[in-house]
Amino acid sequence: MRIRSLAVLSIAAVSFLIGCNNDADNKFIDQANKAIESEKNNITTPSSAVTYAYEKGVDINGYTLKKTSNNIAFDIDTKQFTIMNGDNVTYAPKGYKKNSNTYHIFKFSDVYDSRSTYSQYLTRNFAGSDLLVVTTGLDMGENNNVKNITYFNSTDTEKDILLNVSCDYLNISTTKDNIYHYGSSNNVFIPSTLSGSYHEYGSCCYIQAAGGNVYLESGSYSDLFEIPNGSSVNIKQSEGSNILMRVNADSVRAQSTAKIKEINDPTLTANTIQSYLDNTEYNFYRLTTEARDIVLKEEKSGETVTKEGYIQFKRDLFFDLNGRSITFDCGQSKGVQYDGDSTPYYPGILVKGDSSINAFLVDTQSSLYPRSGINLLDCSIIVEGSTDANKPVNFYMNSGKIHDVKCTSNLTGSYRNRPAVLVMGNVSNTDRESERHSAFYMYGGYIKTEWGSKADTVIKTGDTWRKHIACKCIQPRGNGAIVNMIYGDLDSFHYCISCQGTAAPNVDRYGKTVINITGGYLTGGKEPAYDDGTHESTGYNYTPLFFPQAGEVNITGATITGPSCINAKAGTINIYGGVFNAIGDNPSATAGDSGSAADGSVIFMESNRYYQGAIDVPLNINIKYATMTSKNAYIIKNSGYVKESKFILSKASVTVEDGVFNYKKDKYASDLTESYKDYFECSINGGTWNQIA
């Protein structure tokens, strides 16, 4: 038994409800407990109990209780199976006492219940999920169909949590709990705020620990274990732990199989860096040149451009800036053209390939060098995916900074408002089968985008002057594009994260992106005033998050501040915890059939069926445990959109489960008339609501 059993428990006697179960169910539980009796000392998880029972001929995963409202349950402390109905134990072995720590009891189910105070064991019929936010223990059983799992403790109680999970990313978002991890999570992230303990029993490709007490237990395995510089972590490694390479605060990041190449060249150019990256002899490069600031410009031979000023990742690779600052100044040469997209973008870093790529960019001394990181001048980081779903192209940014991102050239039309990070999915008008699979992962770190100088950024269109040359922080575009941000910091006058809507009749060209935000900060959305005083600023045009398409956003524990925090037109947005502060005051705001708007409400909705294309995409927003404040308006505002006196709204709904909500005007508002009330539904099932002066 490896999970710690709490010595002091408030024990409640089990109430045996005779007749509530079918006798066959009771006999089955007796058989299951008898089957594992001799193996109790070897049982560490509910899965191991299920396996031992199966080896003795008792198939728990294959058994269906006769009473459908009941659940099989397993107590990890007593190592016994029971039958439960809600909070009641309806059948258990003689002498069993129900555990008062409900998160030590695992209920068996094929559906994950985010409201349960019990831990959960997912049976083989569980359908899977891109993201699970769990607040109790979890055992995934035979399933390996979850991509991302975040553990989040929303209570003041310190818990002992068992996680037996197999996923791509496991994020620990707690300050005090003790986590016991089994299974095979590829990447595990332990935050600096953890004061409890993390116990690794499983198999991981990569573990990053920035705080707490980390125990690498016997039988555990990891290719790469990293402690970011400046972090304080207590490590204890047991005999029999196969952590092949441990990286501490005094060493660079490394792999057990890595050949490390240090680049010490004060005259680095884009071409010379590219020649290093293309050398397949090495898979880890560390920038050690003494030059603090390196500028990579386009290179010419006469009038011919021989290098556009960017570096390209085309295979699995680690590139460590080692606290140095590197600036990409790409100019306006031919750029890069993408299928289905007529806009050329000039990359500083291009991550592209037809096979699986995992490119890592790390900056191990960002806290020591305030200027360290990446400067993007007139260019972007571009991640272009593969058409093969089994060969995704992933780019990871670990800590470090992307800053001073701006466009200095007087560009117009589709060149304006480019993002610092562009994640390209499939944006073809016709090809809906060959999605491009690409992802940008941000773990910590900082992205700040700027406006250019006044001379470069004031553009006249007809009789209207506007400042258009600004940068979004991150933009995922098209099917298969993913953004995962964990404890990062985005700061922009423009959007922090924005998506495209549909752009062709009857074709969802840009939809089905996925954005996952765990912790961290998004601050943005206010256009600054003009410098010369002759033209008025358009004011609060943008929001930290702009989402107008048939994709999905999952927000857990983030802090978002802007004129309005979210402007949504379609898709699904799930909010679990977090702090949202809306500070705008523009009651007449409306964006119509294109662009964003913000009136000062926390969530500003414009559900529009024909947004740039005849696609009917419902808008659904789900909120739980959030703290939201609107300084001058509503928590939720659905403005709708009427064009040429024809109502063209799609269905929109908001569900609020719990949280604290402070509003100036009212809880929510809708501009829809009575005859169109069926187009918007706001369901408030709980929470504390306070009207402020």
Side-chain angles (χ1 to χ4, degrees), residues 487-498:
Y487 303 109
D489 190 346
L490 306 182
D491 186 356
S492 177
F493 284 119
H494 208 277
Y495 305 118
C496 293
I497 301 178
S498 72

Side-chain angles (χ1 to χ4, degrees), residues 228-522:
N229 275 34
S231 301
S232 177
V233 181
N234 298 316
I235 300 176
K236 182 177 180 180
Q237 186 169 8
S238 299
E239 184 177 354
S241 170
N242 297 305
I243 306 299
L244 300 183
M245 177 64 71
R246 191 168 73 198
V247 181
N248 58 42
D250 296 322
S251 63
V252 302
R253 179 176 184 160
Q255 274 189 308
S256 58
T257 58
K259 288 187 176 181
I260 302 174
K261 176 68 174 179
E262 295 191 353
I263 303 176
N264 189 359
D265 180 353
T267 61
L268 283 172
T269 66
N271 265 336
T272 55
I273 286 184
Q274 190 67 59
S275 67
Y276 284 119
L277 301 186
D278 291 343
N279 184 351
T280 58
E281 181 181 357
Y282 299 95
N283 59 0
F284 183 94
Y285 290 88
R286 185 189 188 207
L287 192 64
T288 58
T289 177
E290 294 181 0
R292 176 65 58 83
D293 298 308
I294 299 170
V295 179
L296 302 183
K297 290 180 172 288
E298 65 179 21
E299 300 172 26
K300 291 186 176 182
S301 176
E303 295 298 318
T304 303
V305 176
T306 59
K307 179 66 180 177
E308 281 83 14
Y310 65 87
I311 61 175
Q312 183 172 0
F313 290 83
K314 296 181 288 187
R315 60 189 177 88
D316 286 4
L317 203 61
F318 292 83
F319 187 60
D320 185 1
L321 297 181
N322 192 28
R324 304 305 195 258
S325 178
I326 184 168
T327 298
F328 296 91
D329 186 359
C330 294
Q332 295 184 60
S333 57
K334 72 175 183 179
V336 177
Q337 190 83 13
Y338 290 97
D339 293 340
D341 185 4
S342 60
T343 303
Y345 285 89
Y346 306 104
I349 297 174
L350 177 63
V351 188
K352 178 180 181 180
D354 294 326
S355 60
S356 177
I357 290 181
N358 290 288
F360 292 81
L361 185 70
V362 296
D363 183 354
T364 57
Q365 299 182 25
S366 60
S367 61
L368 302 180
Y369 296 89
R371 295 189 64 191
S372 66
I374 309 165
N375 298 344
L376 298 172
L377 192 61
D378 239 0
C379 56
S380 305
I381 294 174
I382 302 175
V383 186
E384 181 182 353
S386 168
T387 56
D388 188 340
N390 297 314
K391 298 178 179 179
V393 174
N394 303 314
F395 184 66
Y396 302 80
M397 189 184 88
N398 287 46
S399 69
K401 298 180 180 180
I402 301 175
H403 56 99
D404 296 336
V405 186
K406 56 190 175 184
C407 300
T408 60
S409 303
N410 192 7
L411 302 177
T412 59
S414 59
Y415 292 91
R416 66 188 184 226
N417 302 339
R418 64 185 65 186
V421 179
L422 177 64
V423 187
M424 296 293 294
N426 178 29
V427 295
S428 169
N429 285 337
T430 58
D431 187 0
R432 302 288 285 108
E433 299 300 326
S434 59
E435 297 182 0
R436 293 185 178 274
H437 296 263
S438 58
F440 173 71
Y441 296 89
M442 180 179 179
Y443 298 107
Y446 180 62
I447 299 178
K448 181 177 176 61
T449 61
E450 302 280 1
W451 294 87
S453 64
K454 186 192 73 171
D456 289 329
T457 59
V458 177
I459 299 174
K460 186 172 183 179
T461 304
D463 294 327
T464 303
W465 290 82
R466 292 196 61 190
K467 260 189 171 179
H468 270 309
I469 303 302
C471 292
K472 312 168 182 67
C473 291
I474 304 174
Q475 184 179 65
R477 300 183 67 182
N479 298 299
I482 299 172
V483 170
N484 276 3
M485 183 186 117
I486 300 175
Y487 303 109
D489 190 346
L490 306 182
D491 186 356
S492 177
F493 284 119
H494 208 277
Y495 305 118
C496 293
I497 301 178
S498 72
C499 294
Q500 295 288 96
T502 55
N506 300 310
V507 177
D508 182 10
R509 182 179 179 189
Y510 290 113
K512 296 184 179 179
T513 61
V514 177
I515 301 170
N516 299 315
I517 304 169
T518 302
Y521 300 87
L522 277 70

Side-chain angles (χ1 to χ4, degrees), residues 29 37 40 119 208 211 324 384 419 440 485 490 497 504 618 657 678 688:
I29 293 300
E37 181 64 32
K40 278 193 174 184
S119 293
Q208 183 188 90
R324 304 305 195 258
E384 181 182 353
F440 173 71
M485 183 186 117
L490 306 182
I497 301 178
E657 295 293 336
D678 291 340
T688 301

